[in-house]
Amino acid sequence: MGRPRTPLLSADRIADAALELVNATGGFTMPALAARLGVRPSSLYNHVAGRDAIVELLRERAMSEVELPSCDPGQPPRPWREAVADIARSYRRSYSRYPRLIPLLTAYPVNSASAITMYNTLAVTLVQAGFDHADTLRVITLIDYLVLGSALDVAAPEEPWLASAEVGPEFAAALATATPNPHRADDAFEYGLSVLLTGLEA
Amino acid sequence: MGRPRTPLLSADRIADAALELVNATGGFTMPALAARLGVRPSSLYNHVAGRDAIVELLRERAMSEVELPSCDPGQPPRPWREAVADIARSYRRSYSRYPRLIPLLTAYPVNSASAITMYNTLAVTLVQAGFDHADTLRVITLIDYLVLGSALDVAAPEEPWLASAEVGPEFAAALATATPNPHRADDAFEYGLSVLLTGLEA
DNA sequence: ACCTGAACACCGTTCAAGT
DNA sequence: ACCTGAACACCGTTCAAGT
């Protein structure tokens, strides 16, 4: 066929299609991706170094919509508790838009520009609130754990435990309160955020 | 060659070898596994349903060494804070023995007998401490997030962020306090556990 | 019962050939 | 510059054939 007059592909279109496949099936393969784009697998390599590079593009997407609180200089500074909570919620909101994507990203840490900007803002807020540098890193790490854990939770299949004979009455009663996802993971995240901030204030 | 007088393989030996491969390389393939066992790939299927079944065996291993606090009936009951902390630590210790295994397990939730026993014990402790059933589930979920997050953290490659120009002074100072893993993740886990328990007491 | 060898469908990637 | 088709090495799995 040769070169088309206007390119059929771009890195962006490839990432779009890959994300759709991940949302629909929980993963993607190069042949499936090519088919969805109406193209042959080898064509993808004109725009992207390989499969790993596509995963990196998806990682960027996962972080791309973190919106940081705009602090107007004229305004009185907000309590650090609220500022941290807003950042954590925005982080999680961006990260949780594509729940089935998250398991593909756990191999390496987030390393995108948006992520660094967010960590910077968190660090400024926490240092201003009086945390020393070591605790600042610890708190950022904990927020990471909370966001990652609850994001993975959204995509996890419903537990078949209820059927198991080994479940004791207390745990069974706790499980009986579980709501369907994504609500359950949202709820756990909010609870965790609240407990975290309360614990930090002490 | 035909059938050997004494079997060369067993599900246990296969799991052992797979775990060694995961520890060494971060993953395993059926051919590599067979080679390490001195056998042909097709032989594995006499003992194991397939690759996924091997992953399930590894999942069992990850949870297999959770040791629960033995509560002597004659003794005065321990404070729930200590009991929960002990369980969480043991959970994490078992889960973190094979850090490079954890990323392979994030697709589905833990569903082994040891896991259920641990959740049961946690639920009993929390209900006795006065948490209602919904909060009991939330706290167990949070402990899961903390253990999973810090276990994944151990295997994560060191962040190359220090080099990035986008890192601001506060975040850079926080990063400068980072110790090498696994100490860093251990430290974050202990800090998180302490913050969590403090937050829960309020 | 348990190991083997050949075979199958599939995957990620490369590259010369086309326009 | 960008798509194609053929090719390569690799993967997970099956199954008849051997003992």
Side-chain angles (χ1 to χ4, degrees), chain B residues 14 19 49 64 72 75 82 88 99 101 118 146 160 168 197:
Chain B
I14 290 173
L19 202 42
S64 66
D72 292 325
Q75 300 296 319
E82 284 179 29
L101 171 61
M118 184 205 60
L146 183 63
L197 294 171

Side-chain angles (χ1 to χ4, degrees), chain A residues 6 26 51 61 77 85 100 131 143 145 147 163 171 177:
Chain A
T6 167
R51 193 181 184 283
R61 301 270 177 126
R100 307 188 74 172
F131 289 92
I143 291 173
Y145 294 171
V147 169
F171 186 37
T177 69

